[in-house]
């Protein structure tokens, strides 16, 4: 991982990311593929709901858990 602090994926937000939202669009991705969005505390619920309503959300974990490799999918936290 680079020295840059990961930031939230919410439009216009520049806050440090705390959460990783792993998702998959079944129309575009194989079932085991995981794309990721990063979220700060403020935007975690909003981004989770956005993905969840579409049936895309697969997992939510802390950035620390993701970096330790306890995530369920492949990819980097900046993938998305």
């Amino acid at each position: 991982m680079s020295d840059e602090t990961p930031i939230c994926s919410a439009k216009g937000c520049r806050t440090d990311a705390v959460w990783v939202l792993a998702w998959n669009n079944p129309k575009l991705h194989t079932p085991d593929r995981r794309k990721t969005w990063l979220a700060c505390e403020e935007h975690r619920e909003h981004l989770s709901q956005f993905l969840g309503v579409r049936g895309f959300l697969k997992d939510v974990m802390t950035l620390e858990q993701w970096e330790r490799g306890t995530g369920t999918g492949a990819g980097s936290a900046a993938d998305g």
Side-chain angles (χ1 to χ4, degrees):
M1 183 162 229
S2 72
D3 291 336
E4 293 181 26
T5 301
I7 60 166
C8 181
S9 297
K11 187 175 183 175
C13 185
R14 305 303 295 166
T15 304
D16 291 353
V18 180
W19 297 95
V20 174
L21 287 63
W23 61 278
N24 172 300
N25 180 341
K27 292 182 181 180
L28 302 176
H29 307 122
T30 59
D32 60 329
R33 175 81 189 268
R34 292 293 181 267
K35 302 285 285 179
T36 56
W37 281 356
L38 302 177
C40 64
E41 284 292 343
E42 180 182 350
H43 292 111
R44 180 184 63 90
E45 187 63 30
H46 171 75
L47 294 174
S48 293
Q49 286 179 357
F50 180 90
L51 293 168
V53 165
R54 290 157 179 79
F56 295 174
L57 186 63
K58 301 301 179 189
D59 205 1
V60 178
M61 68 197 72
T62 66
L63 183 58
E64 181 180 328
Q65 289 171 318
W66 181 264
E67 289 175 340
R68 282 195 320 246
T70 56
T72 58
S76 72
D79 185 26

